[in-house]
Amino acid sequence: MSPKRPEQVTKFCTTRRRVARHIGAALFVCLALPAQALTLDLPAPATTIGERRAALTSYRLPVGPFSNGALPAQVTEGALGQTAWALDAPGRTTLELLAPLRAQVAKAGFETVFECETLACGGFDFRFATDVLPEPEMHVDLGDFRFLSATRQGPDGTEALSLLVSRSADKGFVQLTLVGDAARIPADLSLSTKSAEPAAPVPGELQQTATPAPEQEAGDFAGLITSGTPVALEDLIFASGSAALSPGDYPSLTALADWLRAHPDDTVALVGHTDASGSLPANTALSEKRAASVRVALIALGINGDRMTAAGVGPLTPRASNATEAGRQKNRRVEVILTSTR
């Protein structure tokens, strides 16, 4: 069969969209003209929860597990499109979510380069060394996720693709990243009747259309931790450039200590974040030291240190723009993430 011309592909995608309006369990994604279109049929009703796009950038496609302090990656250049969805998929495993997508990716001509599951990926380290939209745009359960990377040859070079799949108690989460010709046209989405419209883009090379994580109300603290959502300890104060907590009482630490006492079998990760000022190595080291300071403070409140891991990711997961002081202040934080699986 001869390849479809661009106008034929457009007609095909339009037809699929019309069909999708009458199928509540499907979401069709038509991308990439004039290259071969990639059409993904998500396995459950879905809502777009995050998106980033760039006309030209570099993407480090993971091609192996995180080990010896590094993540093997293949650098690919081109247009970038990254989209995350929340799926109405209670009870489905991450493999049940990934398997149909993996088959569709292969059918579209992509060859799998690397595939892994949680610990085989490298666990926590893999997650934070991989390009992932920040919460709440993409939720990743550190104890239950799967990853797949693949490539194919496009008309202008190699096209890269990655899929990250995770879940919460009642939702599935899928992040699709495309680099190359397959990402030049923004995703043309026909959502199920239960889906919401994506938010409008904001200026910037990598546009984020979902809003940053809202600051949680005090009453939501325990519920957010229990659900697996990263929770920022908003009231912590560090002097500029210092890893030591400033003296004072911090209600967020008291609330976290109370939660840990009430859940003696659970473990958490304390993850430090910085703004983008300064070098990546220096910021990463500072963020880890600040997380370690929080761990020490919790130990002083009577929490067993073995239940807490301290790590730092520097400026790699911002929740606001680093172009303003207000945004940089929001990005300087320590978050707590539930790491035990139940």
Side-chain angles (χ1 to χ4, degrees), residues 41-76:
D41 180 2
L42 295 182
T47 302
T48 304
I49 54 175
E51 187 174 24
R52 291 193 296 176
R53 300 206 170 273
L56 182 64
T57 190
S58 297
Y59 173 68
R60 291 176 54 81
L61 180 72
V63 295
F66 187 99
S67 62
N68 298 321
L71 179 65
Q74 172 183 320
V75 178
T76 306

PDB file of all heavy atoms in Angstrom, residues 41-76:
ATOM      1  N   ASP A  41      -4.732   4.979  20.880  1.00  0.00           N
ATOM      2  CA  ASP A  41      -6.044   4.778  21.460  1.00  0.00           C
ATOM      3  C   ASP A  41      -5.836   4.426  22.923  1.00  0.00           C
ATOM      4  O   ASP A  41      -5.436   3.306  23.254  1.00  0.00           O
ATOM      5  CB  ASP A  41      -6.753   3.636  20.707  1.00  0.00           C
ATOM      6  CG  ASP A  41      -8.140   3.344  21.253  1.00  0.00           C
ATOM      7  OD1 ASP A  41      -8.556   4.050  22.185  1.00  0.00           O
ATOM      8  OD2 ASP A  41      -8.785   2.410  20.745  1.00  0.00           O
ATOM      9  N   LEU A  42      -6.059   5.392  23.825  1.00  0.00           N
ATOM     10  CA  LEU A  42      -5.858   5.134  25.247  1.00  0.00           C
ATOM     11  C   LEU A  42      -6.904   4.141  25.741  1.00  0.00           C
ATOM     12  O   LEU A  42      -8.042   4.151  25.294  1.00  0.00           O
ATOM     13  CB  LEU A  42      -5.926   6.432  26.045  1.00  0.00           C
ATOM     14  CG  LEU A  42      -4.827   7.453  25.755  1.00  0.00           C
ATOM     15  CD1 LEU A  42      -4.974   8.665  26.652  1.00  0.00           C
ATOM     16  CD2 LEU A  42      -3.445   6.849  25.938  1.00  0.00           C
ATOM     17  N   PRO A  43      -6.526   3.276  26.683  1.00  0.00           N
ATOM     18  CA  PRO A  43      -7.393   2.158  27.047  1.00  0.00           C
ATOM     19  C   PRO A  43      -8.512   2.490  28.026  1.00  0.00           C
ATOM     20  O   PRO A  43      -9.127   1.579  28.578  1.00  0.00           O
ATOM     21  CB  PRO A  43      -6.408   1.165  27.679  1.00  0.00           C
ATOM     22  CG  PRO A  43      -5.330   2.018  28.244  1.00  0.00           C
ATOM     23  CD  PRO A  43      -5.191   3.170  27.281  1.00  0.00           C
ATOM     24  N   ALA A  44      -8.794   3.771  28.270  1.00  0.00           N
ATOM     25  CA  ALA A  44      -9.873   4.152  29.183  1.00  0.00           C
ATOM     26  C   ALA A  44     -10.202   5.619  28.954  1.00  0.00           C
ATOM     27  O   ALA A  44      -9.398   6.350  28.360  1.00  0.00           O
ATOM     28  CB  ALA A  44      -9.449   3.915  30.634  1.00  0.00           C
ATOM     29  N   PRO A  45     -11.371   6.084  29.395  1.00  0.00           N
ATOM     30  CA  PRO A  45     -11.682   7.522  29.306  1.00  0.00           C
ATOM     31  C   PRO A  45     -10.580   8.332  29.971  1.00  0.00           C
ATOM     32  O   PRO A  45     -10.092   7.958  31.045  1.00  0.00           O
ATOM     33  CB  PRO A  45     -13.010   7.634  30.062  1.00  0.00           C
ATOM     34  CG  PRO A  45     -13.624   6.291  29.963  1.00  0.00           C
ATOM     35  CD  PRO A  45     -12.472   5.313  29.998  1.00  0.00           C
ATOM     36  N   ALA A  46     -10.188   9.425  29.332  1.00  0.00           N
ATOM     37  CA  ALA A  46      -8.992  10.128  29.793  1.00  0.00           C
ATOM     38  C   ALA A  46      -9.195  11.629  29.820  1.00  0.00           C
ATOM     39  O   ALA A  46     -10.002  12.187  29.079  1.00  0.00           O
ATOM     40  CB  ALA A  46      -7.807   9.791  28.891  1.00  0.00           C
ATOM     41  N   THR A  47      -8.427  12.285  30.676  1.00  0.00           N
ATOM     42  CA  THR A  47      -8.415  13.739  30.793  1.00  0.00           C
ATOM     43  C   THR A  47      -6.986  14.232  30.612  1.00  0.00           C
ATOM     44  O   THR A  47      -6.067  13.716  31.250  1.00  0.00           O
ATOM     45  CB  THR A  47      -8.914  14.188  32.184  1.00  0.00           C
ATOM     46  OG1 THR A  47     -10.226  13.694  32.397  1.00  0.00           O
ATOM     47  CG2 THR A  47      -8.939  15.717  32.286  1.00  0.00           C
ATOM     48  N   THR A  48      -6.789  15.210  29.733  1.00  0.00           N
ATOM     49  CA  THR A  48      -5.467  15.812  29.576  1.00  0.00           C
ATOM     50  C   THR A  48      -5.146  16.634  30.813  1.00  0.00           C
ATOM     51  O   THR A  48      -5.903  17.536  31.176  1.00  0.00           O
ATOM     52  CB  THR A  48      -5.428  16.717  28.333  1.00  0.00           C
ATOM     53  OG1 THR A  48      -5.823  15.976  27.196  1.00  0.00           O
ATOM     54  CG2 THR A  48      -4.028  17.283  28.123  1.00  0.00           C
ATOM     55  N   ILE A  49      -4.033  16.323  31.480  1.00  0.00           N
ATOM     56  CA  ILE A  49      -3.694  17.020  32.720  1.00  0.00           C
ATOM     57  C   ILE A  49      -2.395  17.813  32.634  1.00  0.00           C
ATOM     58  O   ILE A  49      -2.064  18.555  33.549  1.00  0.00           O
ATOM     59  CB  ILE A  49      -3.623  16.029  33.901  1.00  0.00           C
ATOM     60  CG1 ILE A  49      -2.667  14.875  33.608  1.00  0.00           C
ATOM     61  CG2 ILE A  49      -5.009  15.517  34.258  1.00  0.00           C
ATOM     62  CD1 ILE A  49      -2.462  13.922  34.779  1.00  0.00           C
ATOM     63  N   GLY A  50      -1.645  17.664  31.551  1.00  0.00           N
ATOM     64  CA  GLY A  50      -0.406  18.426  31.412  1.00  0.00           C
ATOM     65  C   GLY A  50       0.143  18.340  30.009  1.00  0.00           C
ATOM     66  O   GLY A  50      -0.095  17.356  29.294  1.00  0.00           O
ATOM     67  N   GLU A  51       0.879  19.377  29.600  1.00  0.00           N
ATOM     68  CA  GLU A  51       1.444  19.373  28.254  1.00  0.00           C
ATOM     69  C   GLU A  51       2.606  20.347  28.179  1.00  0.00           C
ATOM     70  O   GLU A  51       2.591  21.411  28.805  1.00  0.00           O
ATOM     71  CB  GLU A  51       0.374  19.767  27.232  1.00  0.00           C
ATOM     72  CG  GLU A  51       0.809  19.623  25.790  1.00  0.00           C
ATOM     73  CD  GLU A  51      -0.332  19.890  24.819  1.00  0.00           C
ATOM     74  OE1 GLU A  51      -1.275  20.593  25.207  1.00  0.00           O
ATOM     75  OE2 GLU A  51      -0.264  19.399  23.681  1.00  0.00           O
ATOM     76  N   ARG A  52       3.638  19.980  27.416  1.00  0.00           N
ATOM     77  CA  ARG A  52       4.750  20.887  27.112  1.00  0.00           C
ATOM     78  C   ARG A  52       5.084  20.745  25.637  1.00  0.00           C
ATOM     79  O   ARG A  52       5.011  19.648  25.074  1.00  0.00           O
ATOM     80  CB  ARG A  52       5.999  20.544  27.940  1.00  0.00           C
ATOM     81  CG  ARG A  52       5.859  20.819  29.406  1.00  0.00           C
ATOM     82  CD  ARG A  52       7.199  20.758  30.111  1.00  0.00           C
ATOM     83  NE  ARG A  52       7.787  19.438  30.062  1.00  0.00           N
ATOM     84  CZ  ARG A  52       8.995  19.142  30.542  1.00  0.00           C
ATOM     85  NH1 ARG A  52       9.741  20.074  31.084  1.00  0.00           N
ATOM     86  NH2 ARG A  52       9.464  17.909  30.479  1.00  0.00           N
ATOM     87  N   ARG A  53       5.491  21.852  25.018  1.00  0.00           N
ATOM     88  CA  ARG A  53       5.866  21.812  23.611  1.00  0.00           C
ATOM     89  C   ARG A  53       7.057  22.727  23.376  1.00  0.00           C
ATOM     90  O   ARG A  53       7.215  23.758  24.037  1.00  0.00           O
ATOM     91  CB  ARG A  53       4.705  22.242  22.709  1.00  0.00           C
ATOM     92  CG  ARG A  53       3.510  21.333  22.888  1.00  0.00           C
ATOM     93  CD  ARG A  53       2.603  21.266  21.675  1.00  0.00           C
ATOM     94  NE  ARG A  53       1.648  20.192  21.905  1.00  0.00           N
ATOM     95  CZ  ARG A  53       1.863  18.918  21.610  1.00  0.00           C
ATOM     96  NH1 ARG A  53       2.997  18.564  21.040  1.00  0.00           N
ATOM     97  NH2 ARG A  53       0.960  17.996  21.872  1.00  0.00           N
ATOM     98  N   ALA A  54       7.899  22.350  22.438  1.00  0.00           N
ATOM     99  CA  ALA A  54       9.029  23.175  22.028  1.00  0.00           C
ATOM    100  C   ALA A  54       9.244  22.981  20.531  1.00  0.00           C
ATOM    101  O   ALA A  54       9.119  21.865  20.016  1.00  0.00           O
ATOM    102  CB  ALA A  54      10.294  22.796  22.795  1.00  0.00           C
ATOM    103  N   ALA A  55       9.528  24.085  19.827  1.00  0.00           N
ATOM    104  CA  ALA A  55       9.746  24.001  18.383  1.00  0.00           C
ATOM    105  C   ALA A  55      11.055  23.296  18.054  1.00  0.00           C
ATOM    106  O   ALA A  55      11.159  22.591  17.052  1.00  0.00           O
ATOM    107  CB  ALA A  55       9.729  25.397  17.775  1.00  0.00           C
ATOM    108  N   LEU A  56      12.066  23.485  18.903  1.00  0.00           N
ATOM    109  CA  LEU A  56      13.361  22.847  18.671  1.00  0.00           C
ATOM    110  C   LEU A  56      14.091  22.748  20.004  1.00  0.00           C
ATOM    111  O   LEU A  56      14.329  23.759  20.663  1.00  0.00           O
ATOM    112  CB  LEU A  56      14.200  23.653  17.681  1.00  0.00           C
ATOM    113  CG  LEU A  56      15.579  23.062  17.321  1.00  0.00           C
ATOM    114  CD1 LEU A  56      15.408  21.720  16.601  1.00  0.00           C
ATOM    115  CD2 LEU A  56      16.359  24.031  16.438  1.00  0.00           C
ATOM    116  N   THR A  57      14.444  21.530  20.393  1.00  0.00           N
ATOM    117  CA  THR A  57      15.128  21.338  21.662  1.00  0.00           C
ATOM    118  C   THR A  57      15.846  19.988  21.638  1.00  0.00           C
ATOM    119  O   THR A  57      15.745  19.236  20.664  1.00  0.00           O
ATOM    120  CB  THR A  57      14.146  21.401  22.847  1.00  0.00           C
ATOM    121  OG1 THR A  57      14.877  21.446  24.076  1.00  0.00           O
ATOM    122  CG2 THR A  57      13.201  20.216  22.852  1.00  0.00           C
ATOM    123  N   SER A  58      16.568  19.683  22.694  1.00  0.00           N
ATOM    124  CA  SER A  58      17.225  18.386  22.845  1.00  0.00           C
ATOM    125  C   SER A  58      16.492  17.589  23.914  1.00  0.00           C
ATOM    126  O   SER A  58      16.031  18.155  24.916  1.00  0.00           O
ATOM    127  CB  SER A  58      18.689  18.554  23.254  1.00  0.00           C
ATOM    128  OG  SER A  58      19.419  19.234  22.252  1.00  0.00           O
ATOM    129  N   TYR A  59      16.392  16.290  23.728  1.00  0.00           N
ATOM    130  CA  TYR A  59      15.736  15.409  24.687  1.00  0.00           C
ATOM    131  C   TYR A  59      16.632  14.211  24.942  1.00  0.00           C
ATOM    132  O   TYR A  59      17.143  13.595  24.003  1.00  0.00           O
ATOM    133  CB  TYR A  59      14.381  14.942  24.140  1.00  0.00           C
ATOM    134  CG  TYR A  59      13.691  13.899  24.988  1.00  0.00           C
ATOM    135  CD1 TYR A  59      13.198  14.218  26.243  1.00  0.00           C
ATOM    136  CD2 TYR A  59      13.528  12.588  24.534  1.00  0.00           C
ATOM    137  CE1 TYR A  59      12.558  13.274  27.027  1.00  0.00           C
ATOM    138  CE2 TYR A  59      12.895  11.627  25.307  1.00  0.00           C
ATOM    139  CZ  TYR A  59      12.404  11.977  26.560  1.00  0.00           C
ATOM    140  OH  TYR A  59      11.774  11.038  27.325  1.00  0.00           O
ATOM    141  N   ARG A  60      16.838  13.897  26.199  1.00  0.00           N
ATOM    142  CA  ARG A  60      17.653  12.747  26.587  1.00  0.00           C
ATOM    143  C   ARG A  60      16.725  11.535  26.742  1.00  0.00           C
ATOM    144  O   ARG A  60      16.046  11.411  27.751  1.00  0.00           O
ATOM    145  CB  ARG A  60      18.416  13.039  27.877  1.00  0.00           C
ATOM    146  CG  ARG A  60      19.509  14.092  27.698  1.00  0.00           C
ATOM    147  CD  ARG A  60      20.191  14.423  29.026  1.00  0.00           C
ATOM    148  NE  ARG A  60      20.697  13.229  29.703  1.00  0.00           N
ATOM    149  CZ  ARG A  60      21.831  12.633  29.424  1.00  0.00           C
ATOM    150  NH1 ARG A  60      22.624  13.114  28.460  1.00  0.00           N
ATOM    151  NH2 ARG A  60      22.218  11.548  30.075  1.00  0.00           N
ATOM    152  N   LEU A  61      16.694  10.682  25.732  1.00  0.00           N
ATOM    153  CA  LEU A  61      15.838   9.502  25.729  1.00  0.00           C
ATOM    154  C   LEU A  61      16.502   8.401  26.550  1.00  0.00           C
ATOM    155  O   LEU A  61      17.550   7.884  26.170  1.00  0.00           O
ATOM    156  CB  LEU A  61      15.612   9.023  24.297  1.00  0.00           C
ATOM    157  CG  LEU A  61      14.736   7.784  24.125  1.00  0.00           C
ATOM    158  CD1 LEU A  61      13.282   8.133  24.417  1.00  0.00           C
ATOM    159  CD2 LEU A  61      14.882   7.209  22.712  1.00  0.00           C
ATOM    160  N   PRO A  62      15.925   7.999  27.692  1.00  0.00           N
ATOM    161  CA  PRO A  62      16.538   6.928  28.487  1.00  0.00           C
ATOM    162  C   PRO A  62      16.626   5.628  27.687  1.00  0.00           C
ATOM    163  O   PRO A  62      15.658   5.203  27.056  1.00  0.00           O
ATOM    164  CB  PRO A  62      15.577   6.786  29.671  1.00  0.00           C
ATOM    165  CG  PRO A  62      14.921   8.127  29.801  1.00  0.00           C
ATOM    166  CD  PRO A  62      14.755   8.585  28.375  1.00  0.00           C
ATOM    167  N   VAL A  63      17.795   5.010  27.718  1.00  0.00           N
ATOM    168  CA  VAL A  63      18.001   3.765  26.961  1.00  0.00           C
ATOM    169  C   VAL A  63      18.506   2.640  27.866  1.00  0.00           C
ATOM    170  O   VAL A  63      18.937   1.591  27.386  1.00  0.00           O
ATOM    171  CB  VAL A  63      18.981   3.984  25.788  1.00  0.00           C
ATOM    172  CG1 VAL A  63      18.394   4.938  24.769  1.00  0.00           C
ATOM    173  CG2 VAL A  63      20.338   4.495  26.288  1.00  0.00           C
ATOM    174  N   GLY A  64      18.464   2.847  29.176  1.00  0.00           N
ATOM    175  CA  GLY A  64      18.901   1.830  30.121  1.00  0.00           C
ATOM    176  C   GLY A  64      18.517   2.244  31.523  1.00  0.00           C
ATOM    177  O   GLY A  64      18.044   3.370  31.755  1.00  0.00           O
ATOM    178  N   PRO A  65      18.678   1.362  32.504  1.00  0.00           N
ATOM    179  CA  PRO A  65      18.308   1.675  33.885  1.00  0.00           C
ATOM    180  C   PRO A  65      19.304   2.620  34.543  1.00  0.00           C
ATOM    181  O   PRO A  65      20.466   2.694  34.150  1.00  0.00           O
ATOM    182  CB  PRO A  65      18.328   0.308  34.568  1.00  0.00           C
ATOM    183  CG  PRO A  65      19.341  -0.476  33.785  1.00  0.00           C
ATOM    184  CD  PRO A  65      19.200  -0.015  32.358  1.00  0.00           C
ATOM    185  N   PHE A  66      18.836   3.329  35.550  1.00  0.00           N
ATOM    186  CA  PHE A  66      19.726   4.178  36.339  1.00  0.00           C
ATOM    187  C   PHE A  66      20.653   3.278  37.153  1.00  0.00           C
ATOM    188  O   PHE A  66      20.202   2.403  37.890  1.00  0.00           O
ATOM    189  CB  PHE A  66      18.918   5.072  37.275  1.00  0.00           C
ATOM    190  CG  PHE A  66      19.743   6.098  38.000  1.00  0.00           C
ATOM    191  CD1 PHE A  66      19.807   7.397  37.538  1.00  0.00           C
ATOM    192  CD2 PHE A  66      20.462   5.763  39.137  1.00  0.00           C
ATOM    193  CE1 PHE A  66      20.571   8.354  38.197  1.00  0.00           C
ATOM    194  CE2 PHE A  66      21.224   6.698  39.801  1.00  0.00           C
ATOM    195  CZ  PHE A  66      21.281   7.999  39.335  1.00  0.00           C
ATOM    196  N   SER A  67      21.951   3.485  37.012  1.00  0.00           N
ATOM    197  CA  SER A  67      22.917   2.686  37.777  1.00  0.00           C
ATOM    198  C   SER A  67      24.226   3.453  37.879  1.00  0.00           C
ATOM    199  O   SER A  67      24.552   4.275  37.014  1.00  0.00           O
ATOM    200  CB  SER A  67      23.167   1.320  37.122  1.00  0.00           C
ATOM    201  OG  SER A  67      23.716   1.482  35.829  1.00  0.00           O
ATOM    202  N   ASN A  68      24.952   3.199  38.946  1.00  0.00           N
ATOM    203  CA  ASN A  68      26.252   3.850  39.168  1.00  0.00           C
ATOM    204  C   ASN A  68      26.156   5.369  39.076  1.00  0.00           C
ATOM    205  O   ASN A  68      27.041   6.037  38.545  1.00  0.00           O
ATOM    206  CB  ASN A  68      27.286   3.318  38.175  1.00  0.00           C
ATOM    207  CG  ASN A  68      27.531   1.830  38.324  1.00  0.00           C
ATOM    208  OD1 ASN A  68      27.578   1.310  39.434  1.00  0.00           O
ATOM    209  ND2 ASN A  68      27.674   1.140  37.193  1.00  0.00           N
ATOM    210  N   GLY A  69      25.042   5.901  39.558  1.00  0.00           N
ATOM    211  CA  GLY A  69      24.884   7.345  39.618  1.00  0.00           C
ATOM    212  C   GLY A  69      24.547   8.026  38.313  1.00  0.00           C
ATOM    213  O   GLY A  69      24.622   9.253  38.229  1.00  0.00           O
ATOM    214  N   ALA A  70      24.161   7.283  37.276  1.00  0.00           N
ATOM    215  CA  ALA A  70      23.882   7.904  35.982  1.00  0.00           C
ATOM    216  C   ALA A  70      22.764   7.167  35.261  1.00  0.00           C
ATOM    217  O   ALA A  70      22.504   5.992  35.499  1.00  0.00           O
ATOM    218  CB  ALA A  70      25.139   7.924  35.113  1.00  0.00           C
ATOM    219  N   LEU A  71      22.110   7.885  34.364  1.00  0.00           N
ATOM    220  CA  LEU A  71      21.053   7.312  33.530  1.00  0.00           C
ATOM    221  C   LEU A  71      21.526   7.308  32.079  1.00  0.00           C
ATOM    222  O   LEU A  71      21.728   8.370  31.487  1.00  0.00           O
ATOM    223  CB  LEU A  71      19.769   8.128  33.641  1.00  0.00           C
ATOM    224  CG  LEU A  71      18.585   7.644  32.800  1.00  0.00           C
ATOM    225  CD1 LEU A  71      18.121   6.274  33.287  1.00  0.00           C
ATOM    226  CD2 LEU A  71      17.438   8.639  32.852  1.00  0.00           C
ATOM    227  N   PRO A  72      21.735   6.132  31.473  1.00  0.00           N
ATOM    228  CA  PRO A  72      22.130   6.082  30.060  1.00  0.00           C
ATOM    229  C   PRO A  72      21.046   6.724  29.193  1.00  0.00           C
ATOM    230  O   PRO A  72      19.861   6.438  29.363  1.00  0.00           O
ATOM    231  CB  PRO A  72      22.241   4.583  29.769  1.00  0.00           C
ATOM    232  CG  PRO A  72      22.356   3.926  31.108  1.00  0.00           C
ATOM    233  CD  PRO A  72      21.591   4.781  32.057  1.00  0.00           C
ATOM    234  N   ALA A  73      21.451   7.580  28.271  1.00  0.00           N
ATOM    235  CA  ALA A  73      20.471   8.292  27.455  1.00  0.00           C
ATOM    236  C   ALA A  73      21.019   8.555  26.061  1.00  0.00           C
ATOM    237  O   ALA A  73      22.221   8.717  25.873  1.00  0.00           O
ATOM    238  CB  ALA A  73      20.072   9.609  28.118  1.00  0.00           C
ATOM    239  N   GLN A  74      20.103   8.590  25.110  1.00  0.00           N
ATOM    240  CA  GLN A  74      20.417   8.939  23.725  1.00  0.00           C
ATOM    241  C   GLN A  74      19.857  10.331  23.463  1.00  0.00           C
ATOM    242  O   GLN A  74      18.659  10.563  23.596  1.00  0.00           O
ATOM    243  CB  GLN A  74      19.760   7.924  22.781  1.00  0.00           C
ATOM    244  CG  GLN A  74      19.839   8.282  21.305  1.00  0.00           C
ATOM    245  CD  GLN A  74      19.106   7.269  20.444  1.00  0.00           C
ATOM    246  OE1 GLN A  74      19.159   6.069  20.679  1.00  0.00           O
ATOM    247  NE2 GLN A  74      18.383   7.748  19.446  1.00  0.00           N
ATOM    248  N   VAL A  75      20.724  11.273  23.110  1.00  0.00           N
ATOM    249  CA  VAL A  75      20.286  12.649  22.883  1.00  0.00           C
ATOM    250  C   VAL A  75      19.672  12.762  21.490  1.00  0.00           C
ATOM    251  O   VAL A  75      20.293  12.403  20.491  1.00  0.00           O
ATOM    252  CB  VAL A  75      21.453  13.639  23.035  1.00  0.00           C
ATOM    253  CG1 VAL A  75      20.979  15.060  22.739  1.00  0.00           C
ATOM    254  CG2 VAL A  75      22.047  13.559  24.437  1.00  0.00           C
ATOM    255  N   THR A  76      18.430  13.234  21.446  1.00  0.00           N
ATOM    256  CA  THR A  76      17.706  13.429  20.196  1.00  0.00           C
ATOM    257  C   THR A  76      17.293  14.886  20.097  1.00  0.00           C
ATOM    258  O   THR A  76      16.851  15.480  21.088  1.00  0.00           O
ATOM    259  CB  THR A  76      16.453  12.531  20.139  1.00  0.00           C
ATOM    260  OG1 THR A  76      16.837  11.177  20.381  1.00  0.00           O
ATOM    261  CG2 THR A  76      15.776  12.624  18.790  1.00  0.00           C
TER     262      THR A  76
END
